[in-house]
Amino acid sequence: MRWMLLICLFWPAFALAQSRTVLPSELSLSISVDEDIGTPFTREMILLTIRGVYRRHITREDLLQPDFDGFSWAQLGPDSWSEERIGGRNFKVFTRRMAIYPVRSGTLTIGPFTHKLTLTDEGDDWFEHQIQSEPLSIEVAPAPQSQGWWFPVRNLKVSDQWSNAPDQLVPGEGVLRVVRIEALGVTPEMLPPMPDLASPSAMVFPHPEKRLVELTPEGPVTYAFWRWTIRPSNDTSTIVEPLSFDYFDTVGREMREVTISAQRVAYGSVTGDRAAVPPSTSVLPARLPGWPVAVVALLIFVSGIVLGLSGRRVIGLRALQRFPIFDPLARRMSRLARSGRAAETRRVAVALLRRDGMLQERVQMVRDFDHAFFDPAASAPDLTLFTRRFLRSATHNSEHPSGPHQY
């Protein structure tokens, strides 16, 4: 009897909740701007929350967006559904987060959102029902006049990283510089373009720019990586000039400037004077060589006279060095090429140039190697082929060195 009394008391509420009659208090849909920061500028992020509060059983749903005339937009993740207790009653709450960006100034209106719902009636049959939000008008101000790129951002982080110490490079070595940008509240196309890195006496090779985006409830976070390979073009140090750009802080409502300071790039051999070697305080007594050395010297002297009278030239170690098996630098270069160590292979090639003279063919080989190694658009050099041709060229051009070059 008690159960029958409870059923009779709550039956009208159950019947009303599942009827075809939909009361205004059962379904509501609204749009709101998250923060009141004043009048936004063009291209400045505005966060929207679309919120639906429902007390009916929903079988299917589909939210239709307006055209967003005068805005670009991005949805910040998937829609969410949750249960909330409002006024002592349980409701289903639908939430969608969006970031919109006005593309022109003036009074812009966001049309109504339409939520298409499939509900159930008293007989548990499905029927379609739609609910709309009210339009939302936003006043947008024109962007301030700026000489550079208009860049409104909510939060900005900039870091400057180098692959190794830029003022302690090994001769012939390059260094990779990476400037990392992390910007909250912008999409990738809103970031300023990668700047040109200038230096009075360095070779600067820019790499393709990389941009990534991550969607968060607070807005899009865009990451950009500006990369350059830098190598001094001579044996002295050089200066990489500073970078700077402006941005508009949408939280503080003011223009700010980012400046990345200048950086010295140099080989380690020119960063300071070499440590002086203290003179020896003791003098070793002189010792004359023994008779075996005298015999060897006599044989060499007699052989030189015989070959000279016969018209032949003796070039000694110079001739032996043409064969890689007798040349320690050539053996080292071949070993480094086989192990794929391009930078060290080039350094040995430069050492051979300085020892044997600036042979025109070898100089051109090094230039071709630099183009392939430092230019990101070129294919990687074949170290084994480069080493074989470089060592073989010594036997062809040894008598015809070129003019002075710096490496």
Side-chain angles (χ1 to χ4, degrees):
M1 188 64 181
R2 186 179 302 172
W3 288 107
M4 293 296 294
L5 180 60
L6 292 175
I7 292 174
C8 291
L9 289 174
F10 288 100
W11 178 259
F14 294 152
L16 183 62
Q18 300 300 325
S19 68
R20 282 185 175 266
T21 303
V22 180
L23 301 179
S25 61
E26 294 179 323
L27 304 174
S28 66
L29 184 65
S30 62
I31 312 173
S32 62
V33 177
D34 278 19
E35 298 179 11
D36 185 9
I37 58 175
T39 303
F41 293 110
T42 55
R43 293 173 58 88
E44 180 179 348
M45 182 182 69
I46 303 172
L47 289 176
L48 294 183
T49 299
I50 298 92
R51 177 181 170 89
V53 180
Y54 308 128
R55 190 169 166 74
R56 293 292 298 256
H57 176 71
I58 299 173
T59 306
R60 292 183 302 187
E61 58 86 24
D62 184 22
L63 183 65
L64 304 180
Q65 295 184 171
D67 292 337
F68 281 109
D69 182 32
F71 295 91
S72 61
W73 59 273
Q75 182 172 334
L76 304 177
D79 301 333
S80 66
W81 287 86
S82 61
E83 295 279 347
E84 289 188 20
R85 192 170 183 83
I86 304 174
R89 303 171 69 182
N90 290 328
F91 287 84
K92 297 181 181 69
V93 177
F94 166 88
T95 305
R96 174 178 291 184
R97 298 272 292 174
M98 300 188 69
I100 62 174
Y101 301 88
V103 296
R104 64 174 184 265
S105 59
T107 302
L108 305 181
T109 300
I110 301 174
F113 283 75
T114 301
H115 209 170
K116 298 176 63 177
L117 305 173
T118 301
L119 308 178
T120 56
D121 60 12
E122 301 90 335
D124 205 22
D125 294 325
W126 294 3
F127 68 96
E128 302 296 329
H129 183 79
Q130 293 185 1
I131 183 172
Q132 286 189 338
S133 64
E134 295 292 332
L136 178 65
S137 296
I138 300 176
E139 190 70 27
V140 179
Q145 294 295 328
S146 175
Q147 296 180 352
W149 186 270
W150 171 240
F151 183 33
V153 61
R154 178 161 295 194
N155 187 27
L156 184 67
K157 297 179 182 178
V158 181
S159 64
D160 186 17
Q161 302 171 351
W162 299 77
S163 59
N164 47 346
D167 57 349
Q168 294 291 326
L169 301 180
V170 177
E173 183 182 26
V175 61
L176 177 66
R177 183 183 194 178
V178 180
V179 174
R180 180 180 181 271
I181 309 293
E182 178 181 342
L184 170 62
V186 296
T187 52
E189 69 277 4
M190 297 174 63
L191 285 177
M194 178 176 167
D196 294 328
L197 192 63
S199 175
S201 58
M203 300 173 64
V204 180
F205 301 92
H207 295 263
E209 181 183 4
K210 288 187 178 181
R211 297 188 180 189
L212 307 171
V213 64
E214 177 185 2
L215 298 177
T216 71
E218 301 303 319
V221 179
T222 295
Y223 302 90
F225 299 89
W226 298 339
R227 302 173 298 158
W228 303 269
T229 295
I230 307 166
R231 185 170 68 87
S233 59
N234 49 38
D235 289 336
T236 61
S237 63
T238 185
I239 296 296
V240 177
E241 297 179 358
L243 296 175
S244 64
F245 61 90
D246 298 329
Y247 72 97
F248 179 71
D249 182 358
T250 61
V251 177
R253 313 304 295 174
E254 62 179 339
M255 293 294 299
R256 299 183 185 275
E257 182 181 22
V258 174
T259 300
I260 304 174
S261 60
Q263 175 62 52
R264 180 172 178 266
V265 179
Y267 297 130
S269 59
V270 299
T271 57
D273 298 334
R274 294 184 178 179
V277 179
S280 175
T281 57
S282 59
V283 178
L284 297 177
R287 299 180 62 184
L288 294 176
W291 64 267
V293 176
V295 172
V296 172
L298 180 61
L299 290 177
I300 294 175
F301 176 72
V302 173
S303 300
I305 292 176
V306 173
L307 292 176
L309 294 176
S310 64
R312 298 181 182 179
R313 296 179 59 193
V314 180
I315 54 179
L317 294 178
R318 182 71 177 179
L320 293 177
Q321 287 178 352
R322 294 181 181 178
F323 301 96
I325 191 172
F326 297 109
D327 188 351
L329 283 179
R331 293 198 305 270
R332 183 185 177 192
M333 186 175 178
S334 300
R335 184 172 64 254
L336 292 172
R338 288 193 300 270
S339 61
R341 297 158 69 177
E344 297 183 25
T345 301
R346 184 193 180 282
R347 286 198 294 271
V348 176
V350 172
L352 285 168
L353 279 176
R354 291 171 177 170
R355 187 195 69 184
D356 299 340
M358 295 295 176
L359 306 181
Q360 183 62 41
E361 184 177 357
R362 283 187 167 185
V363 170
Q364 186 60 43
M365 288 183 185
V366 173
R367 287 176 178 170
D368 295 340
F369 181 91
D370 287 349
H371 175 74
F373 183 67
F374 290 104
D375 188 352
S379 58
D382 187 336
L383 298 181
T384 303
L385 180 61
F386 168 73
T387 301
R388 183 166 61 251
R389 290 179 176 176
F390 189 88
L391 297 177
R392 187 181 300 169
S393 66
T395 61
H396 303 306
N397 300 325
S398 60
E399 300 300 327
H400 304 284
S402 65
H405 296 267
Q406 289 185 334
Y407 286 96

